[in-house]
Amino acid sequence: GESVGLHLPTLSVQEGDNSIINCAYSNSASDYFIWYKQESGKGPQFIIDIRSNMDKRQGQRVTVLLNKTVKHLSLQIAATQPGDSAVYFCAGKTGNQFYFGTGTSLTVIP
Amino acid sequence: EAGVAQSPRYKIIEKRQSVAFWCNPISGHATLYWYQQILGQGPKLLIQFQNNGVVDDSQLPKDRFSAERLKGVDSTLKIQPAKLEDSAVYLCASSLGSPNQPQHFGDGTRLSIL
């Protein structure tokens, strides 16, 4: 079946350092990917997306890289801040449906 | 722009009882999704609507779950009867409806089954 998975369930980084969260997907037909941030008691919040015809996209302090050859994408957060502490999900779309990974919990150490 | 609104925020019921959740999507969003998120897991799609029609309900346990979006705007999700394994957060999301558009989520309803 379809699967999207994150490599590490937890990640701790020092404030000010860069964070990298990795995600792998199984279906080469997936054509659109989204990274979400979820804080405790809240719904997932859109961070950045990327279409399969791109390999890199940048936002404010965030960059998503897509490697279709190995079916891998990553989220890079520059100068990580305490407010970045949350669970991060990647989601891939195949057809009309989105498949979510299990999430990586990012802890920022002051 | 107002976000996706969901109610109630919390619900506690006993097993075999029924429960209903309500969602009001972002204005103008044609596509509406209901997800189930079990603690420690990513959201799992239950049902997807395009306007008032069902696009995908392949993962909806239809013997106990039902959902409707009668006028193509608000939606309700019902569970009857509830089981212990239904304890989860039920998230509603909406998107514009054109291909490759991000979903915007509400804060969900946390359901606890006793």
Side-chain angles (χ1 to χ4, degrees):
Chain A
E2 189 88 26
S3 72
V4 176
L6 280 90
H7 291 181
L8 290 175
T10 61
L11 178 66
S12 294
V13 298
Q14 207 72 34
E15 182 179 357
D17 286 353
N18 296 335
S19 303
I20 299 176
I21 301 172
N22 295 301
C23 182
Y25 60 97
S26 64
N27 195 330
S28 56
S30 298
D31 60 358
Y32 178 57
F33 303 89
I34 305 177
W35 280 100
Y36 286 97
K37 172 186 179 183
Q38 188 172 28
E39 296 173 287
S40 180
K42 296 193 172 182
Q45 176 188 359
F46 171 83
I47 301 174
I48 192 168
D49 59 357
I50 189 167
R51 290 169 173 73
S52 59
N53 61 353
M54 303 170 70
D55 53 21
K56 181 179 179 179
R57 191 161 189 225
Q58 289 184 289
Q60 188 177 13
R61 283 202 305 121
V62 294
T63 299
V64 56
L65 299 177
L66 175 62
N67 185 329
K68 294 181 288 295
T69 302
V70 295
K71 290 184 278 192
H72 176 274
L73 69 159
S74 66
L75 176 70
Q76 301 177 6
I77 305 173
T80 313
Q81 302 168 0
D84 295 327
S85 292
V87 178
Y88 289 80
F89 291 97
C90 62
K93 185 177 78 68
T94 306
N96 287 320
Q97 188 164 146
F98 282 90
Y99 296 89
F100 283 76
T102 52
T104 290
S105 178
L106 175 66
T107 301
V108 181
I109 304 165
Chain B
E1 176 183 79
V4 176
Q6 289 190 249
S7 67
R9 289 284 282 125
Y10 305 93
K11 191 74 178 178
I12 302 173
I13 61 172
E14 295 186 347
K15 60 183 178 183
R16 291 188 290 274
Q17 286 188 323
S18 62
V19 64
F21 314 123
W22 174 81
C23 172
N24 181 239
I26 293 172
S27 178
H29 280 197
T31 308
L32 184 146
Y33 312 80
W34 283 103
Y35 285 87
Q36 180 193 61
Q37 186 175 25
I38 292 172
L39 187 65
Q41 298 182 17
K44 185 186 87 171
L45 180 69
L46 293 174
I47 189 166
Q48 177 183 342
F49 292 93
Q50 180 78 11
N51 297 309
N52 60 352
V54 175
V55 173
D56 187 337
D57 63 356
S58 58
Q59 298 188 81
L60 186 74
K62 298 180 187 64
D63 58 333
R64 297 184 302 106
F65 287 64
S66 64
E68 59 184 15
R69 192 185 185 200
L70 292 176
K71 296 183 179 179
V73 181
D74 294 4
S75 177
T76 55
L77 176 69
K78 297 179 181 177
I79 308 175
Q80 182 179 11
K83 291 186 175 181
L84 292 174
E85 61 259 35
D86 298 332
S87 291
V89 175
Y90 291 85
L91 294 163
C92 179
S94 69
S95 69
L96 281 170
S98 47
N100 298 341
Q101 291 290 326
Q103 302 170 36
H104 299 272
F105 284 83
D107 286 335
T109 297
R110 182 175 298 277
L111 175 66
S112 297
I113 312 293
L114 303 179

